[in-house]
Amino acid sequence: MNETGVQLTKIKRQLKEHSRIRPLMDNDAGAGLLNPYAQTKVGSDAIFAWWARYKEAIATGADAVNGTIGALLEDDGSLAINAVVDEAVRKAPPVEIAAYAPLKGLPAFLDLAKTLALGDRRSDLEAMGISTTATASAGGSGALYLAANNFANRGDHVLLRDRHWGPYKGFLSGCDLKTLTYPLLPTYDSPHPYLDLQGFKEQLSVLCTSQDKVMMWINDPAHNPTGLSLTPGGRMAMLEAVMESASVNENVGHTLLLDVAYHLYADEPHGWAETLYEAMNEGWPWPENLLITFALSLSKSHTMYGLRTGALVSLHPDETVTERIDTVMGVTGRQTWSAAPRVSQYTVSEMHASDEGGAAWSKERDRLQALLVERRSALIKACDELNVPLNPTHDGFFAWLEHENPSAIAEACAEQHVYLVPLTGGVRIGLCAVPIEQIPKVAQALANALE
Ligand SMILES: Cc1ncc(COP(=O)(O)O)c(C=O)c1O
């Protein structure tokens, strides 16, 4: 056989080999390459799938309504942008764009992050002896990851409400954590209509019997996916329950994480700091085994979705504890994304450093918030008139219809060219994306779907 013949035989053999392997691999592509955890990752994101359906409908010329995505859109469908932030980013000096940020974040940004989390009560809390630390992160998601990675023991459960942002599961399971949930709303007579305090306490005590660290995540105010915000009484009751549990279970570390991704669009943006201040002012002792931490995101508040900027801001009375947390979070960030983007940290710190800059940002924020307030009020009113049992909804980007068959409701709405997102336990209505004139159509579609 000449050289060409040898080559041909080799190729034929390889092809035969390949055809033997292919059928085996097709069912489970990459199984020999991906580890078992990686193989559990499936790319079926309901939000993007339903957004794609909306876009298909538009492409066919339908007058479709987009209630799918989680970004604030103007009434003309374009992305709402805080013009003051945009202008400031564009004015950043080249070196602030090109250089790395310090690994834990720019000092001025870390200072700002504490103020964004705590508002005017920051100085009062610090004066009362509460020590704070902040680490810059790749968005609010990065802050959630820092917490998942460090505040719970591998294999343990993290306590969540039963309605929560879908990616929580991924951040947690990536750190080998499971979830335990309690109902979003009480089904009994309660002075706190937006908190199932009994459910929360029961699950907290279950975890305290089996774990030496308990982490609780709550997305408040302006909960995704419902738009729910706790009342001052609800916040206080929850804090009291956590403090009480920490005092009784002194060998169990308690971390209460407040995911404040939407707080700057809420009626009471710094309600949690206010609640903490009131509790301290009344002389509640802060147990040593309790940490309060805020997962801050600038994605929405500063319309910096793509600039991936946020922070984890932690509070504890013992400075040595916050210093240790500072180190641990800095190292985790380093090992995950290195440093968070510099230009956004620089821009917002400069902007909020002057009264005029802060006021200009606020004015734009108020304009964007007004879009949400108007859409929410219109939806509540229209649903009321049509007897659509919309869940209580107060602030932020979303509203929610609780339903045992969310897919059927979303499909029935889609038939009327209204695109919403079916999630566990209900349908998410992305008020952030729906133009005001289309809100009545959303309520009508829900009413028809429920018939
Ligand atoms: C509830 C909740 N938490 C946190 C985030 C984190 O946002 P990002 O990582 O974009 O800052 C989001 C974003 O959609 C969210 O909805």
Side-chain angles (χ1 to χ4, degrees):
M1 222 186 311
N2 61 20
E3 209 181 318
T4 322
V6 172
Q7 282 237 313
L8 267 175
T9 317
K10 206 168 147 195
I11 290 170
K12 274 188 199 154
R13 207 176 43 237
Q14 278 176 354
L15 279 174
K16 213 165 141 194
E17 194 69 15
H18 190 63
S19 66
R20 248 205 321 265
I21 295 168
R22 268 191 78 86
L24 283 177
M25 292 189 73
D26 268 353
N27 289 339
D28 216 352
L33 302 169
L34 296 163
N35 68 38
Y37 174 67
Q39 289 175 52
T40 66
K41 297 179 184 177
V42 285
S44 63
D45 188 306
I47 298 168
F48 287 98
W50 280 83
W51 185 34
R53 286 184 62 175
Y54 158 76
K55 286 194 291 188
E56 272 165 35
I58 287 287
T60 63
D63 179 21
V65 181
N66 179 14
T68 59
I69 65 164
L72 179 56
L73 305 185
E74 302 277 2
D75 281 334
D76 68 4
S78 62
L79 184 67
I81 294 171
N82 186 313
V84 175
V85 176
D86 182 67
E87 200 186 317
V89 172
R90 283 167 206 285
K91 280 194 191 143
V95 69
E96 300 294 344
I97 298 172
Y100 284 122
L103 293 173
K104 293 175 186 166
L106 281 178
F109 173 72
L110 299 179
D111 187 60
L112 172 68
K114 294 174 185 175
T115 303
L116 291 178
L118 302 173
D120 290 342
R121 285 294 180 208
R122 174 183 170 187
S123 49
D124 295 318
L125 288 166
E126 285 174 346
M128 286 166 158
I130 300 302
S131 174
T132 55
T133 181
T135 311
S137 58
S141 302
L144 292 167
Y145 176 77
L146 288 178
N149 201 255
N150 294 298
F151 290 134
N153 292 329
R154 299 281 184 270
D156 275 1
H157 287 83
V158 171
L159 189 51
L160 305 176
R161 294 193 284 197
D162 61 359
R163 305 289 172 256
H164 51 258
W165 189 40
Y168 280 2
K169 279 238 169 67
F171 300 138
L172 295 170
S173 69
C175 295
D176 196 15
L177 295 169
K178 301 182 223 44
T179 61
L180 185 69
T181 63
Y182 58 99
L184 179 76
L185 296 174
T187 48
Y188 51 91
D189 245 2
S190 164
H192 310 299
Y194 311 130
L195 170 69
D196 185 344
L197 188 62
Q198 280 175 19
F200 173 67
K201 282 184 173 178
E202 273 166 30
Q203 298 293 56
L204 178 55
S205 73
V206 167
L207 291 184
C208 285
T209 59
S210 55
Q211 300 184 180
D212 72 9
K213 287 181 196 64
V214 174
M215 180 156 67
M216 300 142 266
W217 284 12
I218 180 161
N219 174 207
D220 182 77
H223 176 233
N224 176 5
T226 65
L228 199 73
S229 292
L230 294 184
T231 59
R235 287 193 304 263
M236 192 61 95
M238 182 174 232
L239 182 65
E240 190 175 3
V242 174
M243 285 193 162
E244 202 178 274
S245 171
S247 320
V248 175
N249 302 285
E250 54 186 351
N251 295 322
V252 180
H254 286 59
T255 298
L256 175 62
L257 178 140
L258 306 163
D259 176 356
V260 292
Y262 301 88
H263 74 313
L264 295 176
Y265 293 114
D267 212 28
E268 283 187 282
H270 300 112
W272 275 100
E274 189 61 37
T275 299
L276 281 173
Y277 168 77
E278 277 171 29
M280 302 284 296
N281 212 23
E282 279 175 29
W284 293 15
W286 183 310
E288 215 180 291
N289 53 336
L290 168 65
L291 182 83
I292 308 272
T293 191
F294 290 77
L296 186 77
S297 163
L298 270 66
S299 301
K300 287 95 186 167
S301 60
H302 290 70
T303 62
M304 283 186 153
Y305 304 88
L307 276 173
R308 312 306 308 132
T309 307
L312 188 72
V313 179
S314 299
L315 278 67
H316 192 274
D318 183 346
E319 201 177 346
T320 61
V321 173
T322 49
E323 274 168 12
R324 183 81 187 101
I325 289 171
D326 183 50
T327 304
V328 168
M329 297 305 160
V331 171
T332 310
R334 174 69 175 128
Q335 293 168 346
T336 314
W337 52 72
S338 184
R342 182 181 186 109
V343 65
S344 43
Q345 296 182 50
Y346 166 81
T347 305
V348 294
S349 330
E350 285 290 302
M351 195 178 73
H352 286 283
S354 74
D355 288 346
E356 310 83 72
W361 166 82
S362 276
K363 200 167 159 216
E364 270 291 274
R365 190 273 320 265
D366 290 351
R367 182 183 77 77
L368 302 183
Q369 187 175 9
L371 293 174
L372 294 164
V373 170
E374 199 187 4
R375 293 173 193 174
R376 175 170 279 100
S377 309
L379 183 72
I380 293 173
K381 184 165 174 281
C383 285
D384 242 19
E385 283 163 10
L386 295 166
N387 290 323
V388 174
L390 194 69
N391 258 48
T393 183
H394 310 108
D395 296 302
F397 280 27
F398 305 105
W400 178 257
L401 180 78
E402 184 83 13
H403 201 274
E404 60 191 13
N405 195 348
S407 294
I409 297 292
E411 286 295 349
C413 289
E415 276 170 27
Q416 306 164 70
H417 290 310
V418 169
Y419 292 86
L420 308 172
V421 186
L423 296 171
T424 308
V427 177
R428 188 180 88 168
I429 303 150
L431 284 174
C432 51
V434 182
I436 183 74
E437 72 273 8
Q438 289 186 325
I439 293 281
K441 203 168 157 184
V442 175
Q444 189 62 60
L446 287 171
N448 296 342
L450 287 168
E451 259 175 22

